[in-house]
Amino acid sequence: MSQTQPPLPPQGRWERRFERWLWSSRFLVLLAVIPSLAAALALFIIGTMDIAKLVIATAVYYFIGGGPDIHDTVVPSVVMAIDIYLVAIVLLIFGLGVYRLFVSPIEQAEEHAPGHPFNVQSFDQLKDKIARVVILAVIIEFFRAVVDIRFQTPLEAIYLALSVLALAGALYLMSRAQTH
């Protein structure tokens, strides 16, 4: 009991050209892909240079002596570099995911496990992966801000504890959502 579709009427020359142009318009996403990858490269360089400066400042402080005290700047600098790397990763996932979804699958990515961050099967999956990394970046940014907090009242410490509890809850819910 198979029903066959009636044959489609032949397309006109203009209709074929228009549809070819419509299909080719998917390459417009390259206007988002290329700058995203370039920005990711720039952020990876910035994060790496920040870490290199920190390592040099640490070596100078401990082995040569002198220079400013690094104890107040080490943790915020490392956290900022991690934040920069996470944003770069978001840009990579976005650029490669959009390319894969709208232009063409990437053969090397297809050879890896389906769970690889660059292997997205749908736009919703791309949004989900980006949202997870963005949430991690926001959490890192929160902790960077917390490092600089000087408490004036005990209530401020309670607010901090509640904020950390809320972040822990968010991470728990993210992990539960990922397992389902």
Side-chain angles (χ1 to χ4, degrees), residues 105-148:
I106 303 167
E107 289 181 29
Q108 289 81 4
E110 297 297 318
E111 294 170 1
H112 285 81
H116 193 278
F118 298 146
N119 252 346
V120 294
Q121 305 302 322
S122 69
F123 197 67
D124 285 337
Q125 190 180 34
L126 176 63
K127 289 188 310 185
D128 183 53
K129 288 183 181 197
I130 289 173
R132 289 179 190 282
V133 180
V134 167
I135 288 170
L136 286 176
V138 168
I139 291 170
I140 296 295
E141 186 64 27
F142 170 78
F143 285 118
R144 187 173 69 86
V146 166
V147 168
D148 295 331

Side-chain angles (χ1 to χ4, degrees), residues 47-65:
T48 302
M49 295 305 292
D50 287 350
I51 294 293
K53 283 190 228 177
L54 180 64
V55 168
I56 291 168
T58 303
V60 167
Y61 182 78
Y62 282 108
F63 297 120
I64 297 175

Side-chain angles (χ1 to χ4, degrees), residues 20 26 32-33 40 61 75 89 97 115-116 133 156 159 161 177-178:
R20 190 176 315 126
R26 75 188 192 283
V33 170
Y61 182 78
V75 173
I89 289 168
H116 193 278
V133 180
E156 291 175 351
Y159 289 151
Q178 188 172 10

Side-chain angles (χ1 to χ4, degrees), residues 11 14-30 98-105:
Q11 286 184 320
W14 290 106
E15 185 179 3
R16 275 195 311 273
R17 284 184 182 173
F18 183 69
E19 286 180 2
R20 190 176 315 126
W21 176 80
L22 282 175
W23 180 244
S24 296
S25 70
R26 75 188 192 283
F27 291 109
L28 287 173
V29 300
L30 292 176
V98 166
Y99 181 86
R100 185 190 186 291
L101 289 175
F102 292 97
V103 178
S104 173

Side-chain angles (χ1 to χ4, degrees), residues 7 19 27 29 47 52 82 84 89 134 153 162 164 172 175:
E19 286 180 2
F27 291 109
V29 300
I82 291 170
I84 289 170
I89 289 168
V134 167
T153 66
L162 289 173
V164 170
Y172 173 74
S175 68

